[in-house]
Amino acid sequence: MYKNKKITLFSHILVWLVLFSMPYLLSYGQEQDLNRVIAHFWIPIAFYAIIFYANYFVWIDKYLFSNKTVHFIIINLIVIASFIILKEVLKDYYFNETFRITPKKEGVGPPIKMFLYIQMLSYMAPLLFSIAIKTTKRWVQTEAERKEAANVKLKSELQHLHYQLQPHFFFNSLNNIYAMVDISPDQAKTSIHSLSKLMRYMLYETNVELISLSKEIDFMKKYIDLMKLRVSDKTVVNYNFPQQETSIKVAPLLFISLIENAFKHGVSASKSSTIDINISTQDKTVLFTIENDDFPKKSDDKSGSGIGLVNIKKRLELLYLNKNSFSTIVKDNRFIAKLEIETN
């Protein structure tokens, strides 16, 4: 907003520098006494100002931008013609400069057509300047509104994805706790308590565009500890996260769906399995990798809703467009996901 005001002010100053110089340029070489300065300088400037600001504040919006171009042209032609006549009348009446056009003779004075062309041109200048400035201002405003609308849409989509992730996370966690109730009621109670802490974080600390990577890592550690309560000794979970605090900030809850996915599809009740989770940073780049055994869900398994990976891809498109690399492959019965993002 402040920048736009500076541009507008600069445009007006530039316009009036040009307009103030025009009467002097048009009367260059003529005697510059007080009466002549008033007649050839101040009167035209006053008329220029009227034309400029009448168009700038009223006629451009009312006629030109309302597709009434013919009305706009006619009004300005009438006003310009009236000012040309009025200027000559004032010169004649107050400054004893009788309006007369010398007949065309070889080497004597300009012809009447050239005189009128020059007069019309001088009065067209403020009109054209007002159109140029007003059109530019309108374009800047339209562009700002377009960007604001796009920004609102972006925030709305991100908010939708964020709210979509929370019940998805909650649903999966409750399914895991439900499986513990009959087997280990004490562990189920502990899990519910841990889940309440995680939900508090999700509800009250992630309603921001960016959050420190350290907080996200702490959240992931608590989630991993919660999930380890429900897996057997046959499942080994290894993770390696940066130990030191960093100034890096990331979108909240960006990696948790991949960890959920690993515990959902990488754990078996009867077979040994390993989940390896790693986060590394270099300058402003964050690399997240996760590997787990691949145990596809059975067709009759309705746990979860399968939106985790889709959610990640959509959020990456909105938040880290051209600043991310995300890939998933299955190799030697191991599911491998790599996510690299460039933070600001």
Side-chain angles (χ1 to χ4, degrees), residues 95 298 314 334:
F95 307 108
K298 296 178 181 178
K314 286 183 178 179
R334 294 277 290 173

Side-chain angles (χ1 to χ4, degrees), residues 26-37:
L26 293 175
S27 60
Y28 179 75
Q30 299 179 24
E31 185 182 351
Q32 300 295 328
D33 59 48
L34 180 60
N35 284 349
R36 181 169 290 277
V37 169

Side-chain angles (χ1 to χ4, degrees), residues 217-234:
I217 288 173
D218 185 57
F219 170 73
M220 287 185 279
K221 286 179 179 178
K222 289 178 180 177
Y223 178 76
I224 292 168
D225 290 340
L226 172 63
M227 290 297 99
K228 285 168 70 175
L229 292 176
R230 64 169 287 269
V231 298
S232 68
D233 294 337
K234 293 182 179 181

Side-chain angles (χ1 to χ4, degrees), residues 22-41 44 87-88 91 97-98 100 109-110 115 118-119:
M22 282 183 62
Y24 280 120
L25 294 174
L26 293 175
S27 60
Y28 179 75
Q30 299 179 24
E31 185 182 351
Q32 300 295 328
D33 59 48
L34 180 60
N35 284 349
R36 181 169 290 277
V37 169
I38 294 173
H40 289 274
F41 185 72
K87 175 191 170 187
E88 300 304 329
K91 284 165 61 178
E97 290 193 15
T98 305
R100 57 186 180 275
F115 173 81
I118 293 172
Q119 291 289 306

Side-chain angles (χ1 to χ4, degrees), residues 98-154:
T98 305
F99 174 60
R100 57 186 180 275
I101 302 300
T102 305
K104 184 179 179 182
K105 293 181 182 179
E106 188 176 349
V108 180
I112 186 169
K113 285 185 178 180
M114 184 176 291
F115 173 81
L116 289 174
Y117 287 154
I118 293 172
Q119 291 289 306
M120 287 291 290
L121 246 136
S122 67
Y123 283 95
M124 284 291 291
L127 169 62
L128 295 175
F129 275 129
S130 64
I131 293 173
I133 293 175
K134 194 74 175 181
T135 303
T136 303
K137 186 178 179 182
R138 190 190 194 198
W139 178 83
V140 170
Q141 183 178 354
T142 303
E143 189 67 12
E145 289 173 355
R146 186 191 66 78
K147 288 181 179 178
E148 181 63 24
N151 189 42
V152 169
K153 182 183 178 183
L154 173 64

Side-chain angles (χ1 to χ4, degrees), residues 3-126:
K3 185 179 180 181
N4 290 342
K5 286 183 178 179
K6 285 179 68 177
I7 292 173
T8 302
L9 178 62
F10 175 76
S11 301
H12 281 259
I13 292 172
L14 181 63
V15 165
W16 287 112
L17 282 174
V18 174
L19 295 180
F20 266 85
S21 65
M22 282 183 62
Y24 280 120
L25 294 174
L26 293 175
S27 60
Y28 179 75
Q30 299 179 24
E31 185 182 351
Q32 300 295 328
D33 59 48
L34 180 60
N35 284 349
R36 181 169 290 277
V37 169
I38 294 173
H40 289 274
F41 185 72
W42 293 112
I43 289 176
I45 284 295
F47 290 160
Y48 294 161
I50 293 171
I51 292 171
F52 180 87
Y53 286 110
N55 278 281
Y56 186 82
F57 289 114
V58 181
W59 295 336
I60 292 175
D61 286 325
K62 189 175 182 179
Y63 298 110
L64 188 61
F65 289 166
S66 300
N67 295 322
K68 297 178 181 177
T69 310
V70 176
H71 293 77
F72 178 77
I73 293 172
I74 291 172
I75 287 172
N76 276 284
L77 285 176
I78 291 172
V79 170
I80 290 173
S82 300
F83 282 166
I84 290 174
I85 295 169
L86 182 58
K87 175 191 170 187
E88 300 304 329
V89 170
L90 289 173
K91 284 165 61 178
D92 180 29
Y93 189 80
Y94 289 103
F95 307 108
N96 296 319
E97 290 193 15
T98 305
F99 174 60
R100 57 186 180 275
I101 302 300
T102 305
K104 184 179 179 182
K105 293 181 182 179
E106 188 176 349
V108 180
I112 186 169
K113 285 185 178 180
M114 184 176 291
F115 173 81
L116 289 174
Y117 287 154
I118 293 172
Q119 291 289 306
M120 287 291 290
L121 246 136
S122 67
Y123 283 95
M124 284 291 291

Side-chain angles (χ1 to χ4, degrees), residues 186-219:
D186 291 335
Q187 278 194 346
K189 289 180 181 179
T190 302
S191 297
I192 291 171
H193 181 67
S194 299
L195 179 60
S196 69
K197 291 181 178 180
L198 295 176
M199 291 304 297
R200 188 178 296 112
Y201 172 81
M202 295 184 72
L203 290 172
Y204 300 114
E205 295 190 46
T206 62
N207 291 321
V208 291
E209 291 184 9
L210 297 172
I211 197 165
S212 69
L213 179 61
S214 301
K215 282 189 175 182
E216 275 294 287
I217 288 173
D218 185 57
F219 170 73

